[in-house]
Amino acid sequence: MAIFVLFGAVMVLVLLNVPIAIALGVVALVAILHAGGIAALANVPLVMYTGSTSFPLIAIPLFILAGAIMNASGISRRLIALSSAVFGFVRGALAQVTIVTSLFFAEISGSAVADAAALGTILIPAMKSKGYSKEFSAAVLSSASTLAVIIPPSIPMILYAAMADTSVVKLFVAGIVPGVLGGLLMMVIAYRFARLYNLPVEEKFDRRRVWAALKEASWSLVLPALILGGIFGGVVTATEGAALAVLAAVVIGTVIYRELNLKALYTAMIDGVVQTAVVMLLVAASALLGIHLTEIQAPQKLAAAAAALSNSRWLVLMLLNLLFLLLGLFLHSAAAIILVIPVVMPLVQAVGIDPVHFGIIVTINLGIGQQTPPVASVLTVACSIARADIWEVTKVNLWFIGVLLLVLLLSTYVPLVPLSLVRLFYGG
Amino acid sequence: MTARAIWRRRLEQVLQWITGALLVLLAVEVLAGIAFRAARRPLSWYDEVASVLLAWITYYGSALAALKRSHIAFPGLVNGMPRAGRFVALAIRETAVLGFFLVLAWQGTSILRVLAGETLVTVDIPVALTQSVIPIGAALFVVAELLNLPDRVAWAEGGKVVVSAQQDAAKELSH
């Protein structure tokens, strides 16, 4: 009962436009006052401080910084040139280029919004100039950008791993197959639209052009791949890998490409700091509420009650999928992870769901949430660049959301899809 | 430019410099930790200091996010309310935000006296210094919120707070 009162109070404050982190903090504050009086408030600054010092979460600002530096180094242009050289001969080539470039870019960036902003400003105008509708241009860019959170590195995965106390490295590995599968299926859908709209072919396939583009883009592909290899191989932690990615980005931008745009970099850095702070304040405030929830054993009681209704993990997974899809309509993914994961993890463990498997399911769900209005961050960026109406774009985007839903279903009910590489590399 | 706009701009610049410097320092510190470990001379303090830097980025960055109105919220319902409803919602919002951070600043200052004399486990840095970010960050958050208050009152009066779609979506840059 207490958990429903607490979350009800949080929801009321959120609906009244109180920032979610502060709604969590205020409700926790009242609960602490109620339980322990004014003396208990002395713990509040201590918990708010320790809640913001989680070492694994240092990877978040560092991956954002690495992505910002690479993007300020002209990397988007080179990746687009490479994709164009390889897929330019296909009908509707620019849509294919958008998806393939997003797959490449996902290996560097952990943020779908960053992908959409970086690639959209180049690819959406290019598509529109070739006669692609603005709705289709925005839809393909938006959905392809979501692959960034499924393919490693992924900021929601880092956050989930910290909240669920599970291995971020295994999560990264588990994201590879669903991410690539999603990209390939999106290419099929894009080809279908290309036939339907009679979209143009860009250029003939030319091996010399492919080789030249590959040489140009190789640094920006190989160095991040090596760093991810180091993380997967246990040579460095995810946080250290993120710091190495920053170093690699600086070397690529200043020594190899010599194109680092300092003004763009500073702006992106400050944006990154702000977004890190927003997420970390949520984490700290949830730690404050978490202490109270732990004291009253609310998640355990909820898990016991839910497990008493059904012990079927498939049924539980279906219900949790529905919950996350619903939350994705209204909540940003960091908020959804921070609010829900600590509460549902005891239930997930009680019915025997692998936390890495569940992490992938959560990530894909929230990736879909980035595409579904009214709160659809990535879609909003794409629509803003394309100057297209969000609901008109959504009509086209339903096909791509369908692909993500298919990947979600496969990942949920065929655990080998996300976990095959994890078992191959780490056993179990 | 009004005095409020000038102060808002100054505070924004100072917070941007501080948080930008903290981010660069964090990256350099973690890289130094890797380099020293590779040289078989691991730095015992590196993860503890990195965690402190993350906490500082969190609270100075949160004040900056407050100034830029970037904290994740759900304005959909209150935007559709009539004038009176907007004022009630605004009053609740400001009471919650200012109340929470004033309590944090008050308790955060009190706890610094208790922590006086203590240092971090791995390095001789006073805990009172590292934890000073809580009362200072909370106070800065309150200042940022107050600097934005006239705009929020104008919105409640019936004006429109213009937030571009890209700005709104940038709230989820970290996703």
Side-chain angles (χ1 to χ4, degrees):
Chain A
M1 182 64 190
I3 195 166
F4 292 113
V5 173
L6 290 171
F7 275 89
V10 170
M11 289 323 290
V12 169
L13 288 175
V14 169
L15 287 173
L16 290 171
N17 200 24
V18 176
I20 299 173
I22 295 155
L24 286 171
V26 167
V27 170
L29 211 62
V30 173
I32 289 166
L33 261 176
H34 177 71
I38 287 193
L41 289 182
N43 280 331
V44 171
L46 293 172
V47 177
M48 287 294 288
Y49 180 81
T50 44
S52 64
T53 56
S54 165
F55 186 75
L57 294 180
I58 292 170
I60 294 179
L62 295 183
F63 272 126
I64 293 176
L65 178 60
I69 297 171
M70 292 228 192
N71 198 36
S73 309
I75 191 173
S76 320
R77 190 168 44 75
R78 288 177 171 85
L79 291 178
I80 290 168
L82 174 61
S83 311
S84 187
V86 178
F87 289 96
F89 70 94
V90 182
R91 184 160 294 284
L94 279 177
Q96 304 292 343
V97 168
T98 300
I99 297 166
V100 175
T101 309
S102 296
L103 277 168
F104 288 151
F105 210 82
E107 178 210 8
I108 297 159
S109 156
S111 156
V113 171
D115 271 25
L119 302 180
T121 44
I122 303 171
L123 284 167
I124 288 180
M127 281 191 272
K128 281 167 72 177
S129 72
K130 297 279 179 168
Y132 293 53
S133 74
K134 58 186 178 183
E135 289 79 16
F136 176 70
S137 308
V140 71
L141 187 277
S142 175
S143 294
S145 297
T146 279
L147 298 172
V149 297
I150 306 173
I151 290 175
S154 158
I155 288 165
M157 283 184 199
I158 296 169
L159 203 51
Y160 170 88
M163 302 307 289
D165 199 18
T166 191
S167 161
V168 70
V169 178
K170 288 184 181 175
L171 271 168
F172 278 2
V173 173
I176 294 173
V177 173
V180 173
L181 182 65
L184 293 174
L185 290 172
M186 281 180 193
M187 289 173 81
V188 173
I189 298 290
Y191 185 71
R192 176 196 166 274
F193 273 103
R195 305 282 301 187
L196 193 69
Y197 297 151
N198 197 23
L199 295 175
V201 170
E202 292 303 312
E203 55 202 295
K204 279 188 182 168
F205 186 83
D206 177 352
R207 261 189 299 179
R208 277 171 303 178
R209 236 184 111 248
V210 173
W211 180 241
L214 188 63
K215 274 202 292 188
E216 267 286 294
S218 58
W219 284 103
S220 42
L221 287 172
V222 171
L223 272 183
L226 282 177
I227 290 162
L228 283 177
I231 296 173
F232 297 161
V235 181
V236 289
T237 64
T239 302
E240 291 169 345
L244 288 173
V246 171
L247 182 64
V250 169
V251 171
I252 290 171
T254 54
V255 180
I256 298 169
Y257 293 159
R258 297 180 186 182
E259 269 187 43
L260 195 60
N261 178 338
L262 289 177
K263 196 177 169 198
L265 174 62
Y266 182 68
T267 307
M269 258 175 66
I270 297 303
D271 281 348
V273 160
V274 167
Q275 302 329 311
T276 302
V278 165
V279 171
M280 290 305 301
L281 190 67
L282 264 168
V283 173
S286 77
L288 197 60
L289 190 59
I291 283 187
H292 184 71
L293 290 176
T294 308
E295 274 173 10
I296 60 172
Q297 293 205 313
Q300 288 74 12
K301 285 177 187 167
L302 190 70
L309 287 176
S310 170
N311 257 330
S312 160
R313 69 172 137 162
W314 305 119
L315 183 66
V316 169
L317 276 174
M318 189 184 78
L319 293 174
L320 288 173
N321 266 330
L322 288 174
L323 173 70
F324 276 102
L325 284 172
L326 191 67
L327 286 173
L329 292 173
F330 301 102
L331 276 182
H332 292 268
S333 53
I337 289 172
I338 291 162
L339 276 173
V340 180
I341 294 303
V343 178
V344 301
M345 275 323 279
L347 171 64
V348 167
Q349 282 156 353
V351 295
I353 300 167
D354 182 334
V356 172
H357 182 203
F358 185 57
I360 292 300
I361 293 169
V362 170
T363 304
I364 301 172
N365 262 306
L366 297 176
I368 294 169
Q370 294 175 331
Q371 303 297 325
T372 46
V375 179
S377 53
V378 182
L379 181 67
T380 315
V381 170
C383 291
S384 144
I385 297 169
R387 298 179 193 281
D389 178 79
I390 199 162
W391 296 105
E392 291 301 316
V393 173
T394 298
K395 285 181 194 165
V396 182
N397 203 24
L398 282 176
W399 284 91
F400 294 102
I401 292 173
V403 164
L404 290 170
L405 281 170
L406 181 62
V407 174
L408 173 65
L409 281 175
L410 280 171
S411 300
T412 303
Y413 293 109
V414 188
L416 263 184
V417 171
L419 297 181
S420 53
L421 284 181
V422 178
R423 287 178 187 162
L424 182 71
F425 290 159
Y426 305 105
Chain B
M1 199 182 250
T2 63
R4 181 172 67 92
I6 292 169
W7 278 107
R8 199 179 175 286
R9 179 93 193 110
R10 281 181 186 161
L11 182 60
E12 188 174 341
Q13 276 181 342
V14 170
L15 288 173
Q16 284 184 355
W17 291 332
I18 292 173
T19 51
L22 285 170
L23 181 60
V24 172
L25 196 59
L26 178 64
V28 170
E29 201 258 357
V30 177
L31 283 170
I34 301 168
F36 276 86
R37 198 184 64 205
R40 298 184 188 281
R41 294 177 62 189
L43 302 172
S44 58
W45 45 265
Y46 118 88
D47 47 356
E48 193 179 17
V49 171
S51 297
V52 170
L53 288 171
L54 182 62
W56 282 37
I57 287 174
T58 301
Y59 287 98
Y60 288 116
S62 283
L64 180 60
L67 207 56
K68 290 173 178 278
R69 302 186 193 119
S70 293
H71 282 283
I72 301 172
F74 186 77
L77 184 71
V78 294
N79 276 339
M81 285 181 174
R83 186 173 174 276
R86 287 181 179 211
F87 268 105
V88 171
L90 180 61
I92 294 171
R93 181 204 145 93
E94 295 306 317
T95 306
V97 174
L98 296 176
F100 179 73
F101 281 100
L102 285 172
V103 169
L104 201 57
W106 163 44
Q107 290 295 323
T109 309
S110 304
I111 207 76
L112 290 185
R113 284 185 223 113
V114 180
L115 295 170
E118 288 188 29
T119 61
L120 296 181
V121 178
T122 53
V123 63
D124 205 17
I125 296 174
V127 173
L129 173 66
T130 60
Q131 299 232 1
S132 67
V133 73
I134 294 288
I136 296 172
L140 286 169
F141 201 113
V142 169
V143 172
E145 190 68 18
L146 290 175
L147 282 169
N148 281 334
L149 190 56
D151 294 336
R152 294 192 197 283
V153 171
W155 158 82
E157 287 279 5
K160 202 172 179 185
V161 175
V162 180
V163 179
S164 76
Q166 212 157 348
Q167 218 180 327
D168 182 47
K171 286 175 183 172
E172 211 175 3
L173 189 68
S174 55
H175 296 188

